[in-house]
Amino acid sequence: MTRVAATAEAPASCGAPASAPPPAPSPLPSSLAPFTATSLSASASVSASSSRRATGPPPPVPTIPLTVSSAADAAAVYTALFPVNDDGSATAGGLPPPPVVTPVVGGITNHIWRVARAGGGGFTDHHRGSNSGNGGDGDSGGGGGGGGEGGGCDEGGAGGVCSSSPTVLVRAFGPVPGLDRVAENRVVKALAAAGVAPPLYAFTANGRVEGWHAGTRPATVDDLSCPGVYVPLARELATLHAVDTAVGGGGGEGEGEGRDGGTDVGDGLWRRISGWTAAARGMPAAAAAAGSRLDAIDAAASRVRAVLAHRYPPPPRVLCHNDLLAANVLLRWGGEEGEGGRRGGTPTPSSSLSVSAGGQRQQTPSSVAATAAAAADASATMAGGVAITTAAATAEARVFLIDFEYAATGPRGFDIGNHWAEWRGGTDDGVPVLGRYPSATAQRAFCRAYLTAAAATTSTSGRADRGGNEGGGAQDVTDADEDALVSEATRWAGVSHLYWAAWAYAQAGTSAVPFDYVGYARRRWEAFEAEAADRGLV
């Protein structure tokens, strides 16, 4: 898990733009032979004419045999992938100008760089579709401005493509005990082909090259409490959960088949918890800091697993994100489009976001009612006491989910409940605020939006129909359905405390990043102890 602090200043209310420093050029290292592969254009993105549904196996993705450990390496990878200027010409010496490389700070697991052609003038939003219920499906180039991203891509261009050298994110993996990076790459490849994740341009020896979502910023904890964020986020999560679970096999949670298959639907979650506690025991500093809590976590996991298996019906087995904290949610307001994007999240170093409180997307009556109810609940005070206006509460953002390093097949309730627990924050300073949990009204609005989008989904490997993202199945979502999903997510939110407590103790023994892993683990364990009975886990 990559826990981060957003680089942009946290807004006082939903929809506020974030400022950021301009990027600085990074010199190119010794020459790297330009990479060529006939599969590159096919692997880079979903076709402009395609929907976000997967129509077959993911296209081949090239591999650049370079270990990335610096900005210079990131620049070399970019030049290998995109060796010519936007107009197709080569510069003197056969190479284009050096790309601009900007470190993306705040992560505590991976190393991330944003890389763009110096003076580049446009970009493509390969992440198609809308999760805001307007029935629209389309790409548009964006006007940049910030971070060296020029403005100038004609919205009416062919498929929105206006640059042969797109802005990308170069990711170098950091150490996480028990995390299967091969499985992660497989999941990301499939999600990119389905249009759920940013486009995937290449693998490197120790990471990936992905699309960058221009014109976005990472959500803040305050944002998560806004109906204009969590309602479209719920729909986007339903989209992810509709992707074929086969792509999550072998990723840690992919081997549990649920009651129908004779094993626990959350089997992979429990294996990860026990794997992390075992890893912590093998590290003297982490074991000493944890003390008896490692044994307590294992014992609690065993008890809770039995309770969930014998007292409650099993939740659906879906492809889960498993790490939906605020910084792994990118936001864009006002109908603007951009290009592709990171857990622990990807704090964007630039934002050309144009905010319009009046830019609410078209909604069906059922979704308007749900959003209005949640807005009324939030209009005076959001969780944690942050006041927002009704306009900010009801205007919907475009939501992108990023950073799928923990994605795997598992219980639906965990993915939703874990996200609700992330409303409390703590992934920047190690101190979750327990009072910042979704209200009953927010939980029901989230679940109605999720269930409606899920009911409208017409493919097991893509998103809901764009024309009926909300209304297509709204008549089938009952109060009883909402109640059942709220209860399911509430139970599994308790499991998330055990999950991240075990993770944090394991990280305490491996990470050199100055984050209070031990304190965070202790606080998550204490939250589990305080809440287990109310969540029906004892």
Side-chain angles (χ1 to χ4, degrees), residues 138-350:
D139 296 296
S140 62
E149 209 148 351
C153 180
D154 184 359
E155 194 167 318
V161 178
C162 55
S163 175
S164 60
S165 302
T167 302
V168 303
L169 179 152
V170 177
R171 177 191 305 269
F173 297 142
V176 178
L179 202 61
D180 187 341
R181 296 297 191 177
V182 174
E184 175 190 344
N185 280 343
R186 181 177 62 250
V187 170
V188 169
K189 180 180 178 182
L191 293 179
V196 176
L200 178 59
Y201 292 99
F203 298 119
T204 64
N206 64 331
R208 295 186 299 270
V209 181
E210 307 167 16
W212 178 271
H213 281 302
T216 64
R217 64 167 175 83
T220 66
V221 174
D222 289 347
D223 289 324
L224 298 183
S225 301
C226 299
V229 172
Y230 67 70
V231 168
L233 190 156
R235 292 196 291 263
E236 189 69 4
L237 188 58
T239 296
L240 172 63
H241 288 176
V243 174
D244 189 349
T245 57
V247 305
E253 272 100 77
E255 297 170 17
E257 293 295 336
R259 186 167 295 176
D260 292 341
T263 55
D264 184 355
V265 70
D267 186 50
L269 289 174
W270 310 118
R271 286 200 307 275
R272 276 190 175 170
I273 291 172
S274 62
W276 282 328
T277 56
R281 288 189 185 93
M283 304 169 198
S292 63
R293 289 196 184 94
L294 295 175
D295 290 339
I297 290 170
D298 283 339
S302 179
R303 293 193 306 270
V304 170
R305 182 176 187 176
V307 168
L308 290 170
H310 297 104
R311 187 181 301 172
Y312 305 106
R317 181 173 178 268
V318 299
L319 179 62
C320 296
H321 185 286
N322 287 327
D323 200 15
L324 272 182
L325 81 168
N328 279 343
V329 178
L330 297 184
L331 305 177
R332 181 187 298 136
W333 273 271
E336 295 185 1
E337 301 293 337
E339 182 182 318
R342 158 191 172 195
R343 166 154 187 130
T346 307
T348 52
S350 65

Side-chain angles (χ1 to χ4, degrees), residues 236-493:
E236 189 69 4
L237 188 58
T239 296
L240 172 63
H241 288 176
V243 174
D244 189 349
T245 57
V247 305
E253 272 100 77
E255 297 170 17
E257 293 295 336
R259 186 167 295 176
D260 292 341
T263 55
D264 184 355
V265 70
D267 186 50
L269 289 174
W270 310 118
R271 286 200 307 275
R272 276 190 175 170
I273 291 172
S274 62
W276 282 328
T277 56
R281 288 189 185 93
M283 304 169 198
S292 63
R293 289 196 184 94
L294 295 175
D295 290 339
I297 290 170
D298 283 339
S302 179
R303 293 193 306 270
V304 170
R305 182 176 187 176
V307 168
L308 290 170
H310 297 104
R311 187 181 301 172
Y312 305 106
R317 181 173 178 268
V318 299
L319 179 62
C320 296
H321 185 286
N322 287 327
D323 200 15
L324 272 182
L325 81 168
N328 279 343
V329 178
L330 297 184
L331 305 177
R332 181 187 298 136
W333 273 271
E336 295 185 1
E337 301 293 337
E339 182 182 318
R342 158 191 172 195
R343 166 154 187 130
T346 307
T348 52
S350 65
S351 176
S352 56
L353 179 62
S354 174
V355 180
S356 173
Q360 183 175 353
R361 293 180 183 270
Q362 182 181 356
Q363 298 175 302
T364 64
S366 61
S367 69
V368 169
T371 303
D377 181 61
S379 59
T381 306
M382 289 196 302
V386 181
I388 59 175
T389 65
T390 300
T394 57
E396 283 202 359
R398 175 80 182 277
V399 172
F400 303 91
L401 307 183
I402 56 172
D403 205 340
F404 296 92
E405 64 184 338
Y406 293 86
T409 304
R412 174 186 66 179
F414 179 83
D415 220 15
I416 297 174
N418 178 67
H419 170 67
W420 288 355
E422 296 289 2
W423 283 37
R424 293 168 160 172
T427 56
D428 52 354
D429 59 5
V431 185
V433 179
L434 299 187
R436 297 186 66 114
Y437 192 81
S439 67
T441 302
Q443 292 174 41
R444 294 186 67 86
F446 186 104
C447 289
R448 176 163 289 272
Y450 175 95
L451 290 168
T452 301
T457 301
T458 58
S459 169
T460 59
S461 59
R463 69 154 47 245
D465 276 345
R466 302 279 22 102
N469 195 17
E470 294 156 329
Q475 68 275 17
D476 299 323
V477 178
T478 66
D479 289 346
D481 294 331
E482 289 181 20
D483 291 340
L485 185 54
V486 167
S487 297
E488 176 190 319
T490 298
R491 292 190 291 271
W492 285 93

Side-chain angles (χ1 to χ4, degrees), residues 16-114:
S19 59
S26 176
L28 207 63
S30 57
S31 62
L32 178 72
F35 180 83
T36 58
T38 57
S39 62
L40 179 59
S41 61
S43 65
S45 68
V46 178
S47 163
S49 62
S50 69
S51 71
R52 290 182 56 181
R53 297 186 184 88
T55 56
V61 176
T63 296
I64 298 177
L66 177 68
T67 297
V68 178
S69 60
S70 66
D73 293 335
V77 167
Y78 186 89
T79 301
L81 279 170
F82 310 107
V84 297
N85 291 321
D86 289 346
D87 62 1
S89 64
T91 59
L95 290 174
V100 174
V101 181
T102 308
V104 180
V105 299
I108 60 177
T109 299
N110 299 319
H111 296 285
I112 307 290
W113 296 270
R114 174 188 182 275

